[in-house]
Amino acid sequence: MSVIKPSLAKGTRDFSPVEMVKRNFIYDTIKTVFRKYGYAEIQTPSMENLSTLTGKYGDEGDKLIFKILNSGDYLSKIDEQLLATRNSQLATSKLSEKALRYDLTVPFARYVVMHQNDITLPFKRFQVQPVWRADKPQKGRYREFYQCDVDVVGSKSLLNEAEFILIYDEALSKLGLKDFNIKINNRKILSGIAEIIGKPDLIIDMTVAIDKLDKIGLDGVSKELLERGFTENDLEKLRPVILLEGTNEEKLASLKTVLAESETGLKGIEEIEQVFEYVENLINYILPLTARLELDITLARGLNYYTGCIFEVKTNEVAMGSIGGGGRYDDLTGMFGLKDLTGVGVSFGADRIYDVLEELNLFPASAEVGTKVLISNFDEEAERFALPILQQFRTSGIAAELYPTSAKLKKQMSYADAKKIPYVVLIGGDEIASGELTLKDMQSGEQKKLTALAIMDLLKQK
């Protein structure tokens, strides 16, 4: 039997115990904020019917869906002439009926439709699960990654959008970020821009191109727009809007002039102003936002299902893509037969946030600690003495281990060091006789004699 060299699929990662403690610190922090704003957790399957996912993300998004081959002898069911064409796109529907989920929003829409008789509207949910995209792996971009989504359906109120800004601000601040932008735009404004240059039918082409401004620059965007059917005259009208500068108020004032003839565009401006007013009222009696809230007309969010306000969050402390984004979708559930149910939601990019916190050394020491105390094991007598103490620690909520076999002190100390266990309880003959145990602080090296109860009291305070 040949030996297979172990390897990982590109764009995926293993997570060590230390990494999982840090990841759970991120999830727990974000979930705590979600719950504060009235959201409850659900989960959906890793795989969905392919028909559920396709057609929801645009042509570029559909290409990135990981499809799952049908079980059994799937090739025998395909027409030989179809196979002879070697056209994988045509054959896909015969080869694959299921796929790994591309995001959490479309499965959520499917969930709402299937459970519409069991939920109360407005329905506020959050979801923390992995998603998969057949993208080219690079720094900050993985093929398997976790999303932390929070959505509400059945409410048209723009208060929801304003609260998402506060959720982003509070959660990221609690994680230690100090310099980040929450960017906001409105797809109605983009539709209005497409209208005034006489290309309303090319709105999707325009937004896909504009959304790449950070990556390919104005020249790259211009080139792509020309390739997508826009003229040089169109670009002359677009460039001043794309390069709009000033405060949020100044940008809105300029847009009102530019979009004066577009009812759709003016509606988008009105919605942005309402969100800003809600945010102002919500933070009126507390500290101002940590984030810079910025109206960014180039923000387009490439997904086709957005219809209103859209968001993106970027940190300025690390070179990284967006660490969050989302927006309003007016009829996503309509694709599944439930019409006119508006929704809005945002997502936290947990994997990118992890990389940012790691690079900035923002994880607290508590996020690196698993076991808090190790009890030594020198012989059978010490082990028997230690067992009830071990359970006392655990019962009182202290994560504790007993070294599993008798061993020399050096070996046990090395184990504690490798696992970053901050305290070690040493139990030898003297400790058994006196009932006072030796507690060693692994960071300072300090040792003191204490009873088991005193050690428990001390560790609970640490």
Side-chain angles (χ1 to χ4, degrees):
M1 181 178 174
S2 61
V3 176
I4 299 172
K5 183 180 179 181
S7 63
L8 281 170
K10 285 185 179 179
T12 66
R13 297 165 294 166
D14 289 324
F15 298 112
S16 69
V18 171
E19 288 171 320
M20 282 308 304
V21 171
K22 292 178 178 179
R23 289 174 70 81
N24 284 328
F25 166 72
I26 293 172
Y27 301 145
D28 292 345
T29 301
I30 294 172
K31 285 180 178 183
T32 298
V33 177
F34 288 166
R35 291 189 182 102
K36 268 180 65 174
Y37 284 77
Y39 290 83
E41 186 170 16
I42 68 163
Q43 289 198 345
T44 59
S46 297
M47 72 175 76
E48 294 276 352
N49 290 322
L50 182 57
S51 58
T52 297
L53 303 179
T54 50
K56 314 302 189 300
Y57 309 108
D59 291 340
E60 293 194 12
D62 281 355
K63 292 174 186 175
L64 301 182
I65 295 173
F66 270 113
K67 299 162 186 70
I68 300 171
L69 285 175
N70 292 338
S71 302
D73 187 9
Y74 49 84
L75 282 179
S76 65
K77 300 173 184 177
I78 298 182
D79 183 86
E80 287 189 16
Q81 288 183 326
L82 179 58
L83 283 176
T85 65
R86 302 176 69 84
N87 188 319
S88 57
Q89 198 166 3
L90 288 174
T92 295
S93 61
K94 305 293 183 182
L95 292 170
S96 172
E97 295 171 357
K98 296 179 179 63
L100 295 176
R101 60 173 173 250
Y102 177 91
D103 74 349
L104 299 178
T105 307
V106 171
F108 171 54
R110 190 264 313 148
Y111 175 95
V112 169
V113 175
M114 291 186 68
H115 296 268
Q116 58 186 287
N117 296 323
D118 309 317
I119 61 177
T120 301
L121 295 177
F123 181 54
K124 303 173 76 170
R125 85 82 170 87
F126 71 85
Q127 204 168 338
V128 178
Q129 288 186 277
V131 299
W132 294 266
R133 295 182 187 177
D135 218 340
K136 183 179 180 181
Q138 53 187 284
K139 183 184 179 183
R141 188 182 295 275
Y142 306 99
R143 287 176 170 169
E144 178 187 64
F145 56 96
Y146 273 72
Q147 285 187 337
C148 302
D149 275 22
V150 55
D151 290 76
V152 53
V153 293
S155 171
K156 295 180 180 180
S157 173
L158 292 166
L159 175 61
N160 298 304
E161 277 87 337
E163 288 194 339
F164 285 139
I165 290 169
L166 269 63
I167 285 172
Y168 268 137
D169 191 70
E170 182 173 345
L172 294 174
S173 297
K174 283 180 180 294
L175 290 171
L177 297 187
K178 295 180 175 63
D179 185 7
F180 56 96
N181 287 17
I182 301 174
K183 297 186 176 187
I184 184 172
N185 197 10
N186 195 298
R187 288 295 282 258
K188 293 183 179 73
I189 292 176
L190 293 169
S191 295
I193 293 169
E195 279 180 18
I196 62 166
I197 62 173
K199 295 288 195 303
D201 54 322
L202 293 181
I203 174 63
I204 292 173
D205 295 270
M206 188 186 82
T207 55
V208 168
I210 289 176
D211 205 41
K212 298 176 182 176
L213 184 67
D214 284 351
K215 298 175 186 175
I216 62 178
L218 184 60
D219 289 343
V221 170
S222 299
K223 181 182 176 184
E224 186 163 328
L225 286 169
L226 290 170
E227 291 171 353
R228 289 175 177 268
F230 290 82
T231 66
E232 190 60 48
N233 187 47
D234 295 334
L235 297 189
E236 286 180 16
K237 296 177 184 176
L238 270 174
R239 286 189 189 107
V241 179
I242 293 174
L243 299 175
L244 199 61
E245 293 183 346
T247 64
N248 291 335
E249 291 75 17
E250 289 168 343
K251 290 177 183 177
L252 287 168
S254 297
L255 285 170
K256 284 178 183 177
T257 302
V258 172
L259 299 175
E261 302 302 316
S262 171
E263 185 179 342
T264 302
L266 291 176
K267 179 64 176 173
I269 293 171
E270 182 186 328
E271 290 181 1
I272 290 284
E273 288 179 326
Q274 180 67 68
V275 172
F276 284 165
E277 185 179 336
Y278 272 130
V279 171
E280 186 66 31
N281 288 333
L282 283 165
I283 66 171
N284 198 26
Y285 300 105
I286 60 172
L287 292 173
L289 296 175
T290 300
R292 284 195 291 275
L293 180 57
E294 175 191 355
L295 174 61
D296 184 355
I297 302 305
T298 68
L299 174 61
R301 302 293 298 170
L303 301 183
N304 286 349
Y305 53 65
Y306 291 126
T307 54
C309 288
I310 46 179
F311 302 95
E312 191 163 274
V313 183
K314 288 193 174 182
T315 174
N316 302 308
E317 298 175 81
V318 172
M320 182 69 69
S322 66
I323 57 173
R328 181 167 286 275
Y329 39 91
D330 274 343
D331 195 27
L332 192 62
T333 55
M335 298 177 183
F336 302 113
L338 185 58
K339 293 289 185 182
D340 303 321
L341 188 65
T342 186
V344 60
V346 296
S347 177
F348 287 75
D351 294 87
R352 288 187 177 183
I353 291 171
Y354 180 101
D355 291 344
V356 170
L357 299 189
E358 190 72 18
E359 191 166 334
L360 296 174
N361 195 29
L362 289 177
F363 284 107
S366 60
E368 298 185 18
V369 175
T371 300
K372 197 163 192 177
V373 61
L374 173 71
I375 301 177
S376 67
N377 187 345
F378 294 120
D379 52 40
E380 287 186 15
E381 183 184 8
E383 182 179 275
R384 281 195 302 272
F385 186 85
L387 287 173
I389 296 171
L390 173 68
Q391 285 307 98
Q392 273 185 289
F393 284 160
R394 289 170 174 168
T395 302
S396 65
I398 297 167
E401 290 182 51
L402 172 68
Y403 196 80
T405 55
S406 59
K408 291 183 178 180
L409 179 62
K410 184 179 179 181
K411 186 174 183 179
Q412 298 186 55
M413 292 296 103
S414 295
Y415 177 81
D417 270 334
K419 290 194 68 174
K420 296 185 178 180
I421 300 174
Y423 298 96
V424 175
V425 170
L426 302 172
I427 300 177
D430 291 344
E431 283 78 11
I432 294 172
S434 68
E436 286 198 323
L437 316 178
T438 300
L439 178 68
K440 181 179 177 70
D441 184 320
M442 294 296 288
Q443 187 170 8
S444 67
E446 180 188 358
Q447 294 188 183
K448 59 178 73 172
K449 294 271 190 177
L450 297 166
T451 64
L453 285 174
I455 290 172
M456 278 189 282
D457 289 341
L458 181 65
L459 294 185
K460 284 178 184 178
Q461 299 169 24
K462 298 291 185 179

